[in-house]
């Protein structure tokens, strides 16, 4: 009997292996690593990827008019980038990353934001795929360009003003996916120039608390993780993190327990902590 996965947006390695090569199934390597990790995602993709997978670079498919890292592009830029990768809006898109579950949720969320309906995340990512002895190759992929008519659902994106309002009236909770040490201001931020600490009134549920060995935890464990972080699961949530990547992991986790967030703060701590006019507190 197939393993029951914790989210409807996850597909198993078995599921993908059976469908690999079908024209309607597009596999996307969405790997991204923090600078401190000293890993080169494009180089790792070139050295070995799931056969037929295209590489989606969140650093390049981004708004280049801001100094903030990998902020969302506009719909025209996204549509051109997706189409150039041979991805159509109606395709079944399966996203994975090299860490197991790190940047793939951000790419999954971004494709859904721009109108793709059938977007999934590979459970366990490339690590699980390789551990099972499944094929990888280093062939350069030259996809046939497609048309991706992107439409941006801006309701899913929270800006600075939305976060300020949420913190002021406490009707919407801000949940931060950074580590507890960074949240409390006990560990330095990986990006230079950022203050340590968190937004006054924010809650902390580290992204590591909602996964284990690169896989999303069970729904019961997810509920416990959010409750342990002080989150009221009956109130709406905006997710945040360091730069908008693991905020999507919390989005996936909340969706898995039927509590889909009302927004993801794209600028996250890189924006908030980098602005001297925004209040910052430390400790719990």
């Amino acid at each position: 009997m197939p393993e029951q996965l914790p989210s409807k947006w996850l597909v198993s390695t078995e599921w993908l292996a059976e469908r690999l090569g079908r024209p309607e199934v597009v596999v996307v390597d969405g790997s991204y690593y923090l600078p401190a990790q000293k890993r080169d995602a494009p180089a790792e993709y070139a050295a070995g990827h799931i056969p037929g997978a295209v590489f989606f670079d969140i650093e390049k498919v981004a708004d280049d008019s801001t100094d903030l890292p990998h902020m969302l592009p506009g719909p025209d830029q996204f549509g051109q980038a997706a189409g150039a990768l041979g991805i159509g809006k109606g395709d079944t898109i399966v996203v994975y990353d090299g860490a197991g579950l790190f940047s793939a949720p951000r790419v999954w969320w971004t494709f859904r934001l721009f109108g793709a309906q059938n977007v999934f995340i590979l459970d366990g990512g490339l690590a699980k795929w390789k551990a099972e002895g499944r094929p990888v190759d280093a062939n350069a992929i030259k996809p046939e360009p497609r048309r991706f008519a992107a439409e941006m659902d801006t309701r899913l994106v929270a800006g600075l003003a939305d976060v300020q309002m949420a913190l002021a009236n406490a009707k919407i909770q801000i949940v931060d996916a950074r580590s507890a040490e960074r949240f409390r201001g006990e560990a330095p931020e990986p990006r230079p120039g950022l203050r340590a600490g968190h937004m006054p009134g924010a809650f902390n549920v580290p992204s590591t608390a909602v996964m284990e060995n690169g896989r999303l935890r069970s729904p019961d464990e997810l509920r416990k993780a959010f409750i342990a972080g002080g989150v009221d699961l009956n109130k709406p949530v905006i997710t945040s993190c360091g730069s908008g990547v693991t905020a999507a992991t919390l989005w996936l986790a909340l969706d898995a327990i039927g509590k889909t967030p009302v927004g993801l703060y794209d600028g996250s701590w890189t924006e908030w902590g980098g602005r001297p006019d925004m209040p910052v507190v430390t400790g719990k």
Side-chain angles (χ1 to χ4, degrees):
M1 186 174 176
E3 180 185 2
Q4 183 70 36
L5 297 176
S7 167
K8 66 181 180 181
W9 303 111
L10 292 171
V11 296
S12 69
T13 49
E14 291 82 4
W15 185 97
L16 180 59
E18 289 171 5
R19 293 162 178 80
L20 206 60
R22 291 188 185 178
E24 74 278 8
V25 176
V26 180
V27 185
V28 176
D29 186 323
S31 298
Y32 160 80
Y33 303 104
L34 292 169
Q37 292 173 286
K38 293 181 167 52
R39 291 180 66 174
D40 186 329
E44 289 188 24
Y45 163 79
H49 48 261
I50 293 177
V54 294
F55 184 70
F56 185 91
D57 191 338
I58 67 169
E59 295 280 66
K60 290 184 176 177
V61 190
D63 180 0
D64 60 8
S65 68
T66 173
D67 292 334
L68 297 173
H70 44 254
M71 293 299 96
L72 288 166
D76 289 346
Q77 183 186 355
F78 182 87
Q80 288 170 7
L85 290 174
I87 304 172
K89 207 169 174 180
D91 288 337
T92 296
I93 303 164
V94 180
V95 186
Y96 72 86
D97 65 48
L101 193 70
F102 180 65
S103 55
R106 169 71 182 199
V107 177
W108 161 82
W109 178 81
T110 303
F111 268 94
R112 294 185 63 217
L113 174 75
F114 285 108
Q117 300 294 319
N118 301 313
V119 194
F120 303 93
I121 296 167
L122 181 64
D123 177 49
L126 185 62
K128 187 171 187 290
W129 180 272
K130 290 166 81 171
E132 293 167 350
R134 301 187 188 276
V136 294
D137 68 37
N139 296 336
I141 308 298
K142 296 180 180 176
E144 189 72 31
R146 304 272 300 285
R147 182 173 183 270
F148 191 108
E151 297 174 54
M152 187 177 189
D153 188 349
T154 55
R155 297 170 300 175
L156 304 182
V157 186
L160 181 71
D162 300 309
V163 173
Q164 287 178 299
M165 191 178 300
L167 293 169
N169 63 30
K171 291 180 181 176
I172 298 176
Q173 303 164 106
I174 307 300
V175 184
D176 190 327
R178 292 177 301 148
S179 70
E181 293 78 16
R182 287 172 63 192
F183 182 83
R184 295 193 297 258
E186 297 166 0
E189 286 297 307
R191 290 184 175 83
L194 291 186
R195 293 172 292 166
H198 60 269
M199 307 166 203
F203 297 90
N204 182 217
V205 178
S207 59
T208 52
V210 302
M211 56 183 166
E212 185 175 20
N213 299 323
R215 302 177 73 190
L216 194 67
R217 290 183 181 272
S218 71
D220 282 347
E221 291 172 315
L222 295 177
R223 288 187 191 92
K224 288 175 184 175
F226 284 103
I227 292 168
V231 178
D232 182 345
L233 291 174
N234 293 314
K235 289 176 66 175
V237 165
I238 290 172
T239 63
S240 182
C241 62
S243 62
V245 175
T246 56
T249 304
L250 291 191
W251 186 294
L252 177 70
L254 284 162
D255 181 277
I257 56 174
K259 305 293 180 181
T260 305
V262 295
L264 182 152
Y265 179 22
D266 197 28
S268 282
W269 192 252
T270 304
E271 179 175 40
W272 189 282
R275 288 187 51 152
D277 55 333
M278 293 295 110
V280 171
V281 294
T282 56
K284 292 185 179 179

